[in-house]
Every structure is written in C-alpha cells, then in structure tokens.
Amino acid sequence: MASRHQAPKGTFDVLPGDEAAHAAVAAAAAARFAAAGYGRIETPIFEDTGLFARGVGEATDIVRKEMFTFEDRGGRSVTLRPEGTAPVCRAYVEHGMHRLPQPVKLSYSGPFFRYERPQEGRFRQFHQIGAEAIGSGSPLVDAELILLLAGTLADLGIDDVELRLSSLGSPAARARYRDELREFLRSREDELAPGVRDRIDANPMRAFDSDDAATRAVMKSAPRMLDRLDGEDAKHFAAVRELLDDAGLAYRLDGTLVRGLDYYNRTVFEFTCDRLGAQSGVGGGGRYDGLVELLGGPPTPAIGWAAGVERILLAMGATPEPEPIAVFVVAAEDRERAFALVRRLREAGIAADLDLAGRSFKGQMKQADRSRARHALILEPGGTAMLRDMTSGEQREVDPAELVSELGGR
Ligand code: HAM
C-alpha cells in the first residue's frame, strides 16, 4: 500500500464539524471591529525575514528559534509570519498610510506560524484575530483596544478571563530600568536558572517569566518597572486605568507581565484563562510607539493586540454546532426530479441536499435524519410530495412548486 501522509507536527485540519466554532469567533470579532471602525487588512502569509528580525527583535525567542524561515528560489530569505504587527506596520509605511486621517485602525484574522513545541493550546500553525491602531498616542486608544478585546471575549461567552495590565514606560525609562534589573540579577546570579543567567545581558525581563522555583523566589524582590514610571509615562498609564475603571472593566496590575516581543513600550496587557493550564494567554498586546519608525516610516505612536483563535475556542468550552440544512429531498424513483428541486431550492437561498450515493428509499430517510435537516421532502411516485418535520415527525402533503415560499426562500 502507498505510504499515507499526516498533517505536519503541530498543525491540524479544521474539519467541517469544527468550522462553525471558528466562524463564530471570526463573526464575533468582525462585528466588534466594524462597530469600532477597524477596517480589515490582509497581508501576505510570508514576508522578508528581515522584517521580523528587526520588527519583533533579534533577542526574542520568536526570532531566535521559532521562525519558519527558508530561501525562495531566487535566494531571498523569507519567513512564514509568526505575528501580524510587523507586517501591518510594513504595509502602513509601504502604502503611505500616515497621509490618511490618524489613527489608521486595522484588523485581521488568519494563520500564523511558530516553530514551538506542540502541546495543548500551542501549535506550529495557529490562528489569530487582531487589531492595530496606528497614529495616535492617546490613552483613549489604549482603552478602546483593551475594551474591544474584552467585549469580543464576552460576546463569545468567555467570562473567566483575567486582564493583566502593566506599563513598560518609555524606551529611555525602560533602558534605565533594565540596567537596574541587570545589576540586581548579577547580584543574585548564582541563585538563577542557567537559561536566565545566560540572558541577563540580552533580555533580563525574561527572568520574570521563568518556571524555575529558585529564580521565581529571587524575582519576588526584583525591582518592578511599574514602580519606576514617571512623568508622561505615569500620566499616560493613570489615564488608561481611569478609562478602564469608568468602563467597569476589572484588571490586575502586574509588573511581572512579560510579552515575548521587543517592540513594546508603555501600556502592555494580556487576557489569561487559568483553566487553559500552561498556555493560559488568550490574547494580548500593547503600545509599540517606535516600530513604524524602526521600519522606515515617520515617528508614529501605535498600539494593538492579537488573540489566539484556538485558545479562545478552548476557553469557550461549549462550541457552536454547524447550522442544520433546511430540507433533505428523498426520492424513491425520480432522482432527476429531486436534483432539479434541490437546485431550485439552493438558487432561492434555502440549504437543501439529496442522496448522491444511490441509497434505497429507507437509506435516504436515514440519511435525512443523519444530515440533521429540519425537514425531509419525500417525492412520491405520481408527482405528490410530503413534507416531514424531522423533529415532531408531523407530515403533510405539499406542492413542490410552492416549496420555496413555504420554506421562506427569497
Ligand atoms: P502574542 O502574545 O505573541 O502577541 O500572540 C497573541 C496570541 O496568539 C497569544 O495570546 C495566544 O493566544 C496566541 N498564540 C501565540 N502563539 C501561539 C501558538 N504557538 N499556538 C496557539 N496560539 C498561539 C502577538 O502576536 C502580537 N503581534 C500582539 C500584538 C498586536 N501586539 C501589538 N499588536
């Protein structure tokens, strides 16, 4: 027998039975995006590798070890997108969107790729929904975006997420803080896990993220960026908090919040769901006021978030079922008549189906049941037709010509 293929490790097929749930997430997000004026953008699935190396940051795990990078036939290094913010900023610069009224509000959904160790809630191809507002430094935008994600999750019935909120301050303040943190880590170096010790210089913030018990104990007394906010950074963060308080959105201030991407400054946030275990991050984001300029655009403040569709589905628990079809047409003899009728029903926007496997009359009735159709239309020899309600079992004679109006088609 020929060898069989499987989907690559860490990837999965979205089968028709799961599609309804995926579509429900996309629809909830699309409704919220439209209500808040976030237009949809689609960027390519792959980009120049340099975009992510610069945009996401050379020192991040994503760039160091999680990118699907390959050479195309022209010898260019390209990468399957591991995230959406750098591509959206690339598009903003490339299309001169700084000339549009600011901020430019964009949303997206689609597949993303990271070479991670696959486990529950963590895949190598996964899906994100996301939103970015580019061109405003106002704390109103921070609050708008956080509320947009909170609202989307609420619309999907997810009510046990926690919002963790922090601020990283300005790049200069953050650099000062990183120096202070490095000094602290060096003073306790022999108590730290080797992986943390090796990265004191490159990425000291990662120490807050360590699973190692001894490292965690040390980090309890580490200096926190939140305690070092001053001037405009402190004012900005206070304004964001006030707006969230006014909106009645609960959050937990968490100075240990570490995001896995380098472009952030000021507000950062993450929605987590403890029920999901180790991969508890449902969605997160923050400000990235320097990224557009880093990618060759004018100095442009910006903020956004992305949420994982698979994590959202895990957090939703009960998932929506596919819509049942309206009618399954059963024909003892005249299959051409059944086919013509189904064709007419579909043209009128009524979901209809028929047997395509040469089943007996009994087999077709069984199939009508299995298809979860609301009605079966039984075409009898001699031209009469019976419409059967599949839930109540009630049955009555109908005129097939009247069926479209009977079933509420257009
Ligand atoms: P991120 O936190 O890296 O942020 O990813 C956002 C969300 O994508 C996570 O909270 C998680 O739900 C989901 N996710 C990430 N990796 C995986 C994976 N391997 N398997 C399944 N789900 C995953 C970003 O990507 C930023 N671009 C967000 C952002 C937008 N910041 C500003 N604007």
Side-chain angles (χ1 to χ4, degrees):
M1 207 162 80
S3 64
R4 296 212 294 182
H5 297 281
Q6 290 185 331
K9 190 170 175 204
T11 72
F12 55 89
D13 302 303
V14 180
L15 300 175
D18 311 319
E19 172 51 24
H22 278 255
V25 174
R32 285 275 173 178
F33 291 152
Y38 285 74
R40 186 175 165 92
I41 183 167
E42 281 190 36
T43 63
I45 299 289
F46 61 92
E47 298 267 0
D48 283 341
T49 301
L51 173 67
F52 299 113
R54 289 183 73 193
V56 174
E58 300 273 9
T60 60
D61 278 353
I62 294 181
V63 172
R64 280 169 19 124
K65 47 188 188 192
E66 293 173 3
M67 298 209 298
F68 280 93
T69 298
F70 55 96
E71 243 182 43
D72 70 11
R73 288 172 191 273
R76 287 167 293 256
S77 178
V78 293
T79 293
L80 299 183
R81 59 184 191 183
E83 64 101 45
T85 309
V88 167
C89 289
R90 194 258 317 128
Y92 177 92
V93 174
E94 186 171 332
H95 301 286
M97 290 191 224
H98 62 278
R99 289 190 294 266
L100 301 173
Q102 304 293 300
V104 175
K105 304 206 282 189
L106 301 166
S107 66
Y108 50 88
S109 68
F112 291 84
F113 307 84
R114 294 183 193 177
Y115 191 80
E116 301 210 67
R117 193 165 52 78
Q119 53 184 281
E120 174 93 345
R122 192 201 263 175
F123 309 99
R124 290 183 176 172
Q125 174 172 346
F126 56 98
H127 298 82
Q128 283 186 348
I129 51 171
E132 317 283 349
I134 307 178
S136 168
S138 165
L140 291 171
V141 190
D142 303 41
E144 172 174 297
L145 273 160
I146 293 171
L147 289 164
L148 187 60
L149 179 50
T152 304
L153 297 176
D155 289 351
L156 290 164
I158 302 172
D159 52 13
D160 58 349
V161 279
E162 181 180 52
L163 168 58
R164 297 164 66 198
L165 184 69
S166 187
S167 173
L168 304 174
S170 65
R174 197 168 157 208
R176 278 198 302 279
Y177 166 74
R178 276 164 174 256
D179 285 343
E180 183 186 352
L181 183 61
R182 280 193 193 101
E183 216 163 280
F184 169 84
L185 291 172
R186 278 201 200 95
S187 73
R188 308 282 297 266
E189 202 165 332
D190 38 348
E191 297 165 65
L192 301 174
V196 175
R197 220 181 297 151
D198 292 346
R199 295 175 67 189
I200 293 180
D201 278 327
N203 198 350
M205 293 289 284
R206 279 301 302 268
F208 284 113
D209 226 9
S210 172
D211 299 329
D212 173 66
T215 305
R216 294 186 80 88
V218 171
M219 296 317 286
K220 283 211 174 98
S221 52
R224 298 284 157 94
M225 183 65 222
L226 266 186
D227 302 323
R228 300 289 181 274
L229 286 185
D230 57 11
E232 287 303 308
D233 293 338
K235 249 175 49 197
H236 183 95
F237 194 50
V240 174
R241 292 183 54 186
E242 205 176 312
L243 290 162
L244 296 181
D245 291 340
D246 282 351
L249 184 66
Y251 55 84
R252 180 162 66 86
L253 284 186
D254 183 355
T256 70
L257 180 58
V258 182
R259 305 268 312 131
L261 308 100
D262 268 359
Y263 45 62
Y264 293 115
N265 67 295
R266 290 199 168 165
T267 315
V268 285
F269 56 94
E270 200 160 270
F271 286 81
T272 55
C273 177
D274 284 343
R275 244 182 327 111
L276 300 193
Q279 307 307 316
S280 63
V282 174
R287 268 206 171 272
Y288 48 93
D289 293 337
L291 184 57
V292 169
E293 192 177 7
L294 184 75
L295 298 177
T300 310
I303 175 166
W305 55 257
V309 173
E310 291 76 17
R311 304 249 177 110
I312 289 177
L313 293 175
L314 285 170
M316 275 166 71
T319 47
E321 298 253 322
E323 271 287 302
I325 60 167
V327 57
F328 192 96
V329 178
V330 173
E333 287 167 4
D334 196 350
R335 286 175 192 257
E336 284 72 27
R337 192 171 147 229
F339 184 78
L341 185 58
V342 164
R343 191 163 47 78
R344 255 193 292 130
L345 289 167
R346 288 176 182 169
E347 288 294 331
I350 295 170
D353 214 343
L354 79 166
D355 170 51
L356 298 171
R359 290 183 180 83
S360 67
F361 182 79
K362 218 170 119 198
Q364 291 182 49
M365 284 306 291
K366 241 196 220 157
Q367 191 59 17
D369 204 32
R370 246 186 264 138
S371 75
R372 295 175 52 248
R374 280 191 289 269
H375 298 94
L377 183 80
I378 303 152
L379 296 181
E380 295 174 329
T384 53
M386 303 294 283
L387 187 66
R388 181 188 176 94
D389 183 314
M390 295 302 278
T391 325
S392 66
E394 268 167 44
Q395 199 163 297
R396 65 194 161 86
E397 194 174 333
V398 288
D399 177 355
E402 298 294 313
L403 206 58
V404 168
S405 58
E406 188 106 19
L407 293 173
R410 55 174 181 246

